[in-house]
Amino acid sequence: MARDLKLFPRVHRQPFRRRSRALAATAAAIAIGGTVLTEVPVSAAGKPKGHDVSSHQKNVDWQSAKAKSATFVYVKATESHTYRSPYFSRQYAGSRAAGLIRGACHFALPDRPSGITQARYFVRNGGAWRAEGWTLPPALDIEYNPYGKQKCHGLGKARMAGWITAFSDEVNRLTGRRPVSYTTAHWWNTCTNSSSAFTSRHALWLARYNAADPGALPSGGRKLWTFWQYDNSGSLPGDQNLFNGTSAQLKRFAQGA
């Protein structure tokens, strides 16, 4: 996703994954090789294509995205407890009008207010869910701190796992769905000590670039990824993603399966 911050006006606003240059470099350092991908990886051919956008993409041409085989999209809604993307409403409504299954995403800053506070802000500002088959579960984007030297936001591993638990429990209480976890294997293993507390409850949205396949998953007993963000540019606006299943399974996942 993206950190489009009014919270930090001195930081240049970037798209979901443009801020991920450093994240991608870190991932590359842990066994990501090859060239930058511009097409869907051969190993994932045939899986439903999607993308994610933030305020950086502004007014997206959703019909064009649909024509290029987009089936789903995640739209950044909020960050921390004070920022809501000014483009969220039009992007969220526009993608649905074009026939895409869409969901909302929250960019976490765990060193700021509690997981409960940020979850409530997210749900109030677009992170809701309905079992009508067009709304993906709310998503939590949690990764290395883009604003300072403390990569894990200054939280110890147990506190980080506790923050995620609090966010997840509150989102589930308010919406009836556990959030999808967007992260990298390296961040998860480093900042949560490979926690297995969420393996059976959270669908995984894995970020791993410049690779022919998703590679190693976060430790903690997880066997499958649900979404894979495989590049930060391509034929669709924003970052490029795949769903690990069929179109029918994607629909059922949106419905609550």
Side-chain angles (χ1 to χ4, degrees):
M1 298 278 143
R3 45 166 190 151
D4 320 293
L5 277 187
K6 288 183 179 177
L7 291 173
F8 301 89
R10 290 177 295 176
V11 178
H12 179 65
R13 296 182 189 175
Q14 301 175 5
F16 263 107
R17 291 275 65 79
R18 190 76 58 82
R19 59 158 166 73
S20 237
R21 298 287 186 186
L23 180 152
T26 299
I30 55 169
I32 293 181
T35 58
V36 175
L37 294 170
T38 56
E39 301 295 337
V40 175
V42 173
S43 62
K47 296 186 184 297
K49 292 172 58 179
H51 53 139
D52 58 78
V53 299
S54 69
S55 67
H56 182 82
Q57 280 72 41
K58 298 182 179 178
N59 298 309
V60 177
D61 185 342
W62 295 109
Q63 292 297 337
S64 175
K66 178 74 172 178
K68 293 176 182 177
S69 301
T71 58
F72 67 90
V73 64
Y74 264 109
V75 180
K76 180 179 178 179
T78 54
E79 182 164 331
S80 188
H81 68 301
T82 57
Y83 175 78
R84 183 180 192 269
S85 169
Y87 288 89
F88 172 75
S89 293
R90 72 185 74 173
Q91 290 175 342
Y92 199 67
S95 56
R96 170 65 184 90
L100 274 66
I101 298 174
R102 81 285 192 255
C105 184
H106 176 76
F107 186 82
L109 293 179
D111 57 333
R112 296 178 188 279
S114 70
I116 292 175
T117 297
Q118 292 195 36
R120 290 174 179 171
Y121 183 77
F122 174 44
V123 173
R124 285 198 310 268
N125 288 280
W129 174 79
R130 293 182 297 166
E132 87 285 52
W134 292 101
T135 307
L136 294 169
L140 173 65
D141 178 349
I142 191 160
E143 57 186 78
Y144 287 118
N145 182 8
Y147 303 115
K149 296 181 180 179
Q150 296 178 314
K151 291 184 177 181
C152 297
H153 302 267
L155 274 64
K157 297 176 177 63
R159 283 187 63 201
M160 182 65 77
W163 192 98
I164 297 169
T165 296
F167 183 95
S168 173
D169 287 349
E170 188 65 7
V171 168
N172 186 54
R173 185 184 74 82
L174 295 172
T175 69
R177 288 298 299 266
R178 293 284 178 183
V180 172
S181 295
Y182 170 95
T183 192
T184 67
H186 195 269
W187 184 93
W188 191 264
N189 298 340
T190 300
C191 295
T192 76
N193 195 29
S194 305
S195 174
S196 61
F198 314 98
T199 301
S200 63
R201 298 188 296 171
H202 290 200
L204 173 64
W205 182 3
L206 183 68
R208 185 175 190 260
Y209 297 167
N210 304 348
D213 60 71
L217 302 185
S219 299
R222 191 180 293 275
K223 302 298 183 183
L224 295 171
W225 54 273
T226 299
F227 297 102
W228 172 24
Q229 186 186 81
Y230 63 87
D231 209 339
N232 62 354
S233 63
S235 61
L236 301 176
D239 306 315
Q240 313 300 292
N241 293 271
L242 295 171
F243 174 74
N244 194 11
T246 65
S247 296
Q249 288 172 321
L250 176 64
K251 191 76 171 181
R252 291 198 296 272
F253 181 67
Q255 291 170 336

